[in-house]
Amino acid sequence: MPITKVNENELLDRLTDVFRTYGYEGASLSKISEVTGLQRASLYHRFPGGKEDMAKAVLERAGQWLTGQVLAPLSEPGKPADRIRHMAKELHSFYAGGKHCCLLDSLSFGSDDSDIRQHVQQGMSEWVDKLAKVVREAGVSSKNARQHAQDAISHIQGTLVVARVMKDYGPFERMLSELPTTLLRKKS
Amino acid sequence: MPITKVNENELLDRLTDVFRTYGYEGASLSKISEVTGLQRASLYHRFPGGKEDMAKAVLERAGQWLTGQVLAPLSEPGKPADRIRHMAKELHSFYAGGKHCCLLDSLSFGSDDSDIRQHVQQGMSEWVDKLAKVVREAGVSSKNARQHAQDAISHIQGTLVVARVMKDYGPFERMLSELPTTLLRKKS
DNA sequence: TATTATTTACCGAACGTTCGGTATAAGTCA
DNA sequence: TGACTTATACCGAACGTTCGGTAAATAATA
């Protein structure tokens, strides 16, 4: 078979970049074609389902990344606070120090019942659940654990919004450094 | 002169709704026309600068609303904590309990140097400054005041993202109720 | 040769925008 | 008052462009 012009991983990297930056509607096929170096028709060869397939693939891979790289350190041996510090480090590189915004934000606009929206919701839902589980294992009560997980993710999303709008990455950095404390606080 | 089909305020209300929900690119003139009840050409009579003018007008009014309704209670007499509680109340209705997402989020996607983006940045910048000023007046050190203001706005944005994605308004409500504490904490 | 990746060329539909024109209200002046 | 002008609010139809998507042909590997 002929060689691919762009390999799967790099293709998804660039797609991620476009969807992150411009959102779903803003990510036109022209822009995608320009960024990936593939013509529209070639993109349809790679993603028969078109733009929606691309967005789903991007979300899928981001979810795997999150699970494997960010959430995994939480399940390894060591003191809970150390494990969370490890996660913070992974989050830092995942979001490029706040310079990359979150797909769960950029892809969550538009009509309520869109297919993409459901994927986004499921992604965030899994994130909350997995994070809450670990916090619970660290000795926080079940109810508080879920709240802390939600609050942490809220804070991540919020600092990323501020970073995007203001180009100020301070709040994101600060939030990461305070994660061990805020996430494991016994009483809210 | 003939009477208007939709008055200025209601028109801006509906425009706000569309931009909030769909973002700038997602808010097509067809959708706007449908929601406002005005034909495309009529919208250009009201907003000669087209879609961009509409978004700017919407941002402008939201900024005035924020200044007048949300930030104003912070400058009135009374205990700082009470004043912040008042602001929280106003924020609650401003964002409809978390069901309305923030224009500063939905309009902040797309190319970095767009005119809209600059308006959004200026809007959030003003918000941080005004909030920081009040926190400083309540006795918090200058540096901490700015950080607390940024953190509060981050948390607002974050809980709104979570609310939009998950349809869970708990984090937003919780965040508002904890605002007096978090905003006035002396040490971080 | 069979298969696969990519391309050129093209499609109908929707995009944001503009134009020509109509209906209504208010001001002007014989 | 009544005819005339001006200004406003709106609309239908079209503008050129871009949208997401497809069919047929070419190039390259196995």
Side-chain angles (χ1 to χ4, degrees), chain A residues 71-77 83 133-134 137:
Chain A
L71 264 24
L74 290 173
S75 308
E76 283 168 14
R83 287 186 273 159
K133 178 162 171 263
V134 174
E137 286 169 1

Side-chain angles (χ1 to χ4, degrees), chain A residues 4 23 65 79 105 136:
Chain A
T4 54
W65 223 98
K79 283 194 295 183
D105 184 6
R136 212 164 45 241

Side-chain angles (χ1 to χ4, degrees), chain A:
Chain A
M1 62 199 105
I3 244 171
T4 54
K5 198 170 177 186
V6 197
N7 70 33
E8 182 79 2
N9 245 321
E10 191 151 358
L11 181 52
L12 284 172
D13 278 347
R14 300 183 188 178
L15 284 174
T16 302
D17 217 31
V18 181
F19 280 118
R20 234 194 337 237
T21 309
Y22 297 98
Y24 186 79
E25 319 267 359
S28 67
L29 286 204
S30 313
K31 214 165 289 180
I32 291 173
S33 167
E34 180 188 326
V35 168
T36 59
L38 291 176
Q39 299 292 339
R40 274 200 277 281
S42 310
L43 289 165
Y44 273 84
H45 176 68
R46 300 288 199 98
F47 301 94
K51 194 174 167 181
E52 199 167 310
D53 257 19
M54 302 181 207
K56 283 178 187 170
V58 157
L59 271 173
E60 181 69 26
R61 203 185 56 146
Q64 285 173 6
W65 223 98
L66 193 82
T67 302
Q69 300 298 128
V70 177
L71 264 24
L74 290 173
S75 308
E76 283 168 14
K79 283 194 295 183
D82 285 338
R83 287 186 273 159
I84 291 178
R85 258 188 292 276
H86 190 173
M87 177 185 76
K89 213 172 204 169
E90 292 293 334
L91 274 174
H92 190 274
S93 85
F94 185 62
Y95 289 115
K99 289 188 177 63
H100 288 176
C101 73
C102 186
L103 286 164
L104 299 178
D105 184 6
S106 56
L107 295 180
S108 65
F109 292 93
S111 59
D112 233 358
D113 54 346
S114 86
D115 220 2
I116 295 293
R117 279 287 291 264
Q118 285 176 254
H119 271 68
V120 169
Q121 171 165 11
Q122 192 202 326
M124 186 175 284
S125 195
E126 278 181 26
W127 192 3
V128 172
D129 290 345
K130 284 176 182 163
L131 191 51
K133 178 162 171 263
V134 174
V135 175
R136 212 164 45 241
E137 286 169 1
V140 177
S141 78
S142 182
K143 185 187 161 196
N144 275 347
R146 181 164 184 83
Q147 288 193 356
H148 285 169
Q150 284 181 329
D151 288 348
I153 290 170
S154 294
H155 220 143
I156 291 169
Q157 296 297 334
T159 53
L160 289 173
V161 171
V162 169
R164 183 176 69 247
V165 171
M166 308 260 295
K167 295 188 195 323
D168 183 345
Y169 311 104
F172 179 72
E173 301 281 357
R174 215 178 315 133
M175 173 260 139
L176 284 185
S177 73
E178 289 166 5
L179 256 192
T181 313
T182 56
L183 212 42
L184 295 179
R185 225 194 293 273
K186 297 284 163 157
K187 58 171 188 178
S188 56

Side-chain angles (χ1 to χ4, degrees), chain B residues 142-154:
Chain B
S142 183
K143 184 187 164 196
N144 275 346
R146 180 165 185 82
Q147 288 194 355
H148 284 167
Q150 282 182 330
D151 289 349
I153 290 169
S154 293

